[in-house]
């Protein structure tokens, strides 16, 4: 089946009344949650994940909803970045650089419009690329053996260490912590209890929903309660509306940013934050004449376009290889696994309605978002007026209600809070949280493949390096691990630059 | 300094994981590797990371804002699961939201009103509309 007919079949799934409603609810809620200051895409998906599951939605419907939340929040996040100068997510920091100055200059409405158009261009072009690239990539992965998968996962951890936020060592610590947390419970291979410390509740392991809510909702509220973030809303302003000339002026920037965003999104382990930063830097290098950082339209369009292209791009390895490209797609992978669907090479042949229904829904969702975000953006901007003392307690309550709805256990809430405390501590000492989540989701797959490989060789480690694919992947992983070290050596040789 | 401490904790955790993995009693061997090796490797990675961090620490500034407020939210979150079943969702959630609301600088009366409203809205939304059963209190509401 070629991509076109498969996509048509996908549209038949995506256009059913239930799935259309859910896609609309997803993108609208995503925009709304993304617009809230301090709450980013990963929080949006984490908050709704337990509800999706508790409602027993069919898998394709649940995934259409979660994906809608994900790329919808990519549209919404720009609102608080531009109007409040508060990025809801690391991927949005670059949006504030030129967005907030534009808003202060009274061109908030124009800034919201151009970034909305940028988000649409990035999101939609990335879906088109995904339509044609996902299946070839999945076919390539069909030949992967267990050893290749082990190498691929190590590579994605290594890339996370090199390109993600924070020091490489701390990323590896975070990865190890995530893997250890996933070890809790009964080992599938031998039936032995690991790290349960005699607790009956821990026999089943740490629940994925409790982990995501603890890491990203509870810890977020704790940090917000400290009041480290605050800002003053700029008015959307009645200033000069966005002109067609300005849009055309930004088109080259958007196209460049789409390429950068999609490519970095597809790379496992690097998400939207790296993409938007790179797109901004690249655009600055190409076209800055001293206006970047002071409210240049292109400086706003580039990171917003890249952000959305990377979000969609990061779904490609998640669907085709079963390896998430970002924190939020790691949550989505967890959702797949909760439905006992294993994303990866076989998804497109065994469950085409899930894979293609999801892809088709993203064409529809991006169109809906364009409508929601150009004429109706003022409505979402109003959300910024909800006082913190109503908003954040409400989010906390919704988090716990969601965890309870999935588990029907009050004990699970204690685990969630405990993970929240851990996440809070990790944030304070600069250990990134996304690798913890990514490692937790991949742990089972990694250990299974590792043990399967060693079973094939009867315990000989040479099998891990036995295929050409695995050797290439290991070499790339080594390169990614060594890269920061090389940089460090060069820096220590050169005269020490003044510390910033 | 902070990094050294974090490194030390990681070494201890990694060592603990390795030790725990060795104590696992495996009744029969389904595969040549068994459940021990993988946690041992992870423990080693964690301990190694801890060593690197302890030897070459970076500079971490611990920044705390109004930490008593975060603590207040945390304590109410820990009490909440204990109250959820005895008091029921609405009452327990209203209390949680009330405490959290105060922590986010609300005055008591608006905090109480918004807390009760939040609890009622979520109860109606989740329990009544979406049909996800939430715990009822002694009054059956």
């Amino acid at each position: 089946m070629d991509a076109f007919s498969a996509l048509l079949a996908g549209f038949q799934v995506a256009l059913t009344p239930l799935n259309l409603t859910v896609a609309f609810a997803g993108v609208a809620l995503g925009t709304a949650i993304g617009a809230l200051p301090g709450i980013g895409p990963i929080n949006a998906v984490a908050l709704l994940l337990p509800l999706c599951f508790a409602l027993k939605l069919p898998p394709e419907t649940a995934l259409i909803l979660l994906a809608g939340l994900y790329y919808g929040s990519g549209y919404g996040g720009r609102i608080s970045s531009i109007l409040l100068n508060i990025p809801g997510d690391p991927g949005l920091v670059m949006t504030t650089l030129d967005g907030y100055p534009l808003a202060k200059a009274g061109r908030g409405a124009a800034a919201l419009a151009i970034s909305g158009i940028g988000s649409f261009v990035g999101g939609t072009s990335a879906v088109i690329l995904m339509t044609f690239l996902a299946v070839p990539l999945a076919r390539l992965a069909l030949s992967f053996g267990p050893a290749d998968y082990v190498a691929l996962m190590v590579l994605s951890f290594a890339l996370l260490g090199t390109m993600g936020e924070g020091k490489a060592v701390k990323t590896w610590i975070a990865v190890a912590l995530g893997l250890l947390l996933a070890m809790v419970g009964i080992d599938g291979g031998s039936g032995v209890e690991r790290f349960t410390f005699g607790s009956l509740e821990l026999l089943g392991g740490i629940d994925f929903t409790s982990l995501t809510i603890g890491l990203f909702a509870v810890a977020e509220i704790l940090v917000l309660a400290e009041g480290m973030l605050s800002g003053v809303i700029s008015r959307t302003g009645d200033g000069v509306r966005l002109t067609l000339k300005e849009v055309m002026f930004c088109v080259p920037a958007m196209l460049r940013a789409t390429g950068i965003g999609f490519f970095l999104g597809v790379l496992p382990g690097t998400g939207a934050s790296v993409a938007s930063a790179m797109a901004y830097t690249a655009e600055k290098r190409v076209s800055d004449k001293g206006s970047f950082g002071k409210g240049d339209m292109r400086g706003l369009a580039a990171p917003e376009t890249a952000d959305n292209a990377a979000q969609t791009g990061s779904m490609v390895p998640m669907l085709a290889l079963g390896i998430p490209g970002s924190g939020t797609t790691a949550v989505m992978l967890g959702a797949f696994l909760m439905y006992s669907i294993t994303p990866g090479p076989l998804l497109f042949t065994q469950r085409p309605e899930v894979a293609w229904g999801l892809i088709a829904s993203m064409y529809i969702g991006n169109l809906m978002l364009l409508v929601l975000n150009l004429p109706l953006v003022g409505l979402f901007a109003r959300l910024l007026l909800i006082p913190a003392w109503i908003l954040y307690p409400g989010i906390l309550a919704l988090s716990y209600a969601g965890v309870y709805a999935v588990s029907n256990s009050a004990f699970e809430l204690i685990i969630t809070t405990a993970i929240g405390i851990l996440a809070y501590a990790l944030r304070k000492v600069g250990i990134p949280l996304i690798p913890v989540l990514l490692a937790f989701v991949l742990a089972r797959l990694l250990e299974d493949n590792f043990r399967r490989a060693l079973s094939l060789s009867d315990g000989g480690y040479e099998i891990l390096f036995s295929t050409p694919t695995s050797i290439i992947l290991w070499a790339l992983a080594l390169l990614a691990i060594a890269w920061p070290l090389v940089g460090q050596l060069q820096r220590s040789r050169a005269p020490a630059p003044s510390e910033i | 300094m902070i990094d050294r401490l974090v490194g030390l904790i990681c070494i201890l955790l990694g060592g603990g994981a390795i030790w725990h993995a060795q104590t696992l009693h495996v009744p029969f061997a389904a595969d040549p590797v068994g459940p021990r090796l993988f946690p041992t490797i992870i423990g080693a990675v964690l301990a190694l990371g801890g060593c690197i961090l302890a030897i070459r620490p970076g500079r971490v500034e611990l920044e705390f804002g109004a930490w008593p407020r975060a603590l207040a939210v945390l304590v109410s979150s820990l009490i909440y699961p204990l109250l959820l079943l005895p008091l029921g969702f609405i009452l327990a959630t209203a209390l949680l939201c009330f405490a959290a609301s105060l922590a986010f600088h609300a005055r008591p009366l608006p905090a109480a009103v918004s807390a009760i409203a939040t609890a009622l809205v979520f109860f109606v939304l989740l329990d009544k509309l979406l049909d996800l059963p939430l715990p009822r209190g002694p009054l059956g509401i």
Side-chain angles (χ1 to χ4, degrees):
Chain A
M1 205 165 36
D2 66 336
F4 274 115
S5 53
L7 186 63
L8 278 182
F11 271 108
Q12 284 176 351
V13 177
L15 286 171
T16 59
L18 173 68
N19 288 345
L20 267 183
T21 318
V22 155
F24 181 75
V27 296
L29 265 175
T31 309
I33 299 179
L36 300 173
I39 306 291
I42 197 157
N43 313 99
V45 178
L47 268 173
L48 270 282
L49 170 72
L51 292 180
C52 257
F53 197 63
L55 279 172
K56 302 197 172 57
L57 294 176
E60 64 276 11
T61 307
L63 287 161
I64 287 172
L65 177 63
L66 291 175
L69 280 168
Y70 181 29
Y71 57 82
S73 64
Y75 281 74
R78 72 194 208 282
I79 301 174
S80 67
S81 309
I82 292 172
L83 297 181
L84 269 179
N85 204 19
I86 296 181
D89 169 85
L92 292 164
V93 176
M94 295 294 150
T95 305
T96 61
L97 295 182
D98 279 284
Y100 189 61
L102 275 169
K104 272 203 304 197
R107 298 215 60 201
L112 286 173
I114 190 72
S115 54
I117 293 170
S119 296
F120 177 75
V121 170
T124 306
S125 329
V127 181
I128 296 172
L129 288 172
M130 173 162 148
T131 307
F132 294 101
L133 284 179
V135 170
L137 191 63
R139 253 188 220 130
L140 185 73
L142 263 182
S143 64
F144 278 25
D148 304 321
Y149 266 108
V150 171
L152 181 64
M153 279 180 257
V154 174
L155 171 63
S156 60
F157 294 147
L159 282 173
L160 207 60
T162 312
M163 310 192 59
E165 37 170 347
K167 283 174 64 176
V169 168
K170 292 194 168 172
T171 306
W172 281 101
I173 288 175
V175 166
L177 285 175
L179 291 173
L180 271 188
L181 283 173
M183 292 296 103
V184 176
I186 290 182
D187 163 46
S190 62
V192 171
E193 290 173 28
R194 295 189 290 192
F195 301 99
T196 57
F197 309 104
S199 154
L200 277 180
E201 278 91 353
L202 287 177
L203 275 186
I206 293 173
D207 194 68
F208 182 67
T209 48
S210 316
L211 184 93
T212 42
I213 293 269
L215 281 182
F216 295 100
V218 177
E220 194 75 53
I221 301 290
L222 291 178
V223 172
L224 286 166
E226 287 186 310
M228 309 281 275
L229 302 170
S230 62
V232 183
I233 302 182
S234 342
R235 294 182 47 238
T236 35
D238 315 312
V240 190
R241 285 175 157 267
L242 187 69
T243 60
L244 187 65
K245 206 174 140 212
E246 282 173 316
V247 177
M248 295 317 288
F249 181 58
C250 290
V251 165
M254 287 181 191
L255 293 181
R256 280 190 285 270
T258 301
I260 295 175
F262 185 77
F263 175 71
L264 286 172
V266 171
L267 274 190
T270 58
S273 53
V274 184
S276 64
M278 276 222 190
Y280 185 85
T281 322
E283 197 50 44
K284 199 173 161 178
R285 207 164 282 168
V286 173
S287 38
D288 187 19
K289 303 261 186 323
S291 57
F292 272 57
K294 294 178 193 132
D296 191 303
M297 287 276 176
R298 291 166 301 181
L300 173 61
E304 265 306 303
T305 309
D307 184 45
N308 285 60
Q311 281 193 327
T312 305
S314 67
M315 293 185 60
V316 174
M318 195 266 288
L319 288 172
L321 306 178
I323 309 287
S326 68
T328 317
T329 43
V331 182
M332 293 187 62
L333 177 66
F336 270 105
L337 298 177
M338 283 164 80
Y339 279 106
S340 315
I341 300 175
T342 316
L346 296 176
L347 179 72
F348 288 89
T349 47
Q350 288 179 347
R351 301 297 296 266
E353 82 283 6
V354 175
W356 287 106
L358 182 61
I359 294 177
S361 83
M362 293 176 71
Y363 283 94
I364 303 169
N366 271 299
L367 271 178
M368 290 174 173
L369 280 164
L370 191 65
V371 177
L372 279 176
N373 277 278
L374 289 182
L376 299 179
V377 70
L379 220 62
F380 289 103
R382 295 257 171 85
L383 286 170
L384 299 180
L385 297 172
I386 300 176
W389 53 268
I390 296 180
L391 182 61
Y392 297 126
I395 287 175
L396 193 65
L398 182 61
S399 310
Y400 288 134
V403 171
Y404 185 86
V406 175
S407 63
N408 275 311
S409 131
F411 180 80
E412 208 54 48
L413 298 184
I414 298 177
I415 292 196
T416 307
T417 312
I419 291 170
I421 299 172
L422 173 72
Y424 176 82
L426 293 179
R427 274 177 74 151
K428 287 291 171 189
V429 300
I431 294 178
L433 296 182
I434 287 177
V436 178
L437 176 77
L438 209 61
F440 183 89
V441 180
L442 289 180
R444 182 78 187 277
L445 202 62
L446 180 57
E447 185 178 13
D448 283 354
N449 277 299
F450 179 70
R451 280 160 77 164
R452 208 171 295 150
L454 289 184
S455 298
L456 290 176
S457 70
D458 214 19
Y461 292 101
E462 71 283 349
I463 191 162
L464 293 176
F465 317 98
S466 58
T467 64
T469 315
S470 64
I471 293 173
I472 294 171
L473 291 171
W474 281 111
L476 286 174
L478 268 182
L479 195 69
I481 295 171
W483 197 256
L485 296 178
V486 175
Q488 249 177 20
L489 279 181
Q490 277 180 341
R491 243 173 287 144
S492 57
R493 238 178 256 162
S498 58
E499 295 214 3
I500 304 157
Chain B
M1 194 56 219
I2 299 295
D3 265 3
R4 280 190 208 279
L5 189 67
V6 173
L8 202 65
I9 294 173
C10 289
I11 295 172
L12 288 177
L13 273 178
I18 295 172
W19 178 76
H20 178 87
Q22 305 318 311
T23 62
L24 291 176
H25 174 71
V26 188
F28 65 96
D31 57 324
V33 181
R36 285 184 193 157
L37 182 58
F38 198 65
T40 308
I41 296 175
I42 303 168
V45 170
L46 187 57
L48 183 70
C51 279
I52 296 176
L53 204 57
I55 295 169
R56 301 198 57 180
R59 202 172 302 152
V60 179
E61 298 286 339
L62 274 192
E63 281 180 61
F64 291 100
W67 63 268
R69 294 182 182 277
L71 189 67
V73 174
L74 180 61
V75 171
S76 11
S77 295
L78 286 172
I79 297 174
Y80 178 66
L82 308 177
L83 297 182
L84 189 59
L85 295 180
L87 292 185
F89 177 82
I90 297 181
L91 216 62
T93 306
L95 284 174
L96 172 73
C97 288
F98 179 65
S101 200
L102 290 181
F104 276 100
H105 303 268
R107 279 174 289 118
L109 188 64
V113 173
S114 84
I116 293 168
T118 305
L120 282 174
V121 166
F122 283 146
F123 186 79
V124 171
L125 190 70
L126 298 178
D127 192 295
K128 300 284 178 210
L129 288 178
L130 296 179
D131 212 15
L132 302 171
L134 293 170
R136 312 282 170 119
L139 302 174
I141 50 165

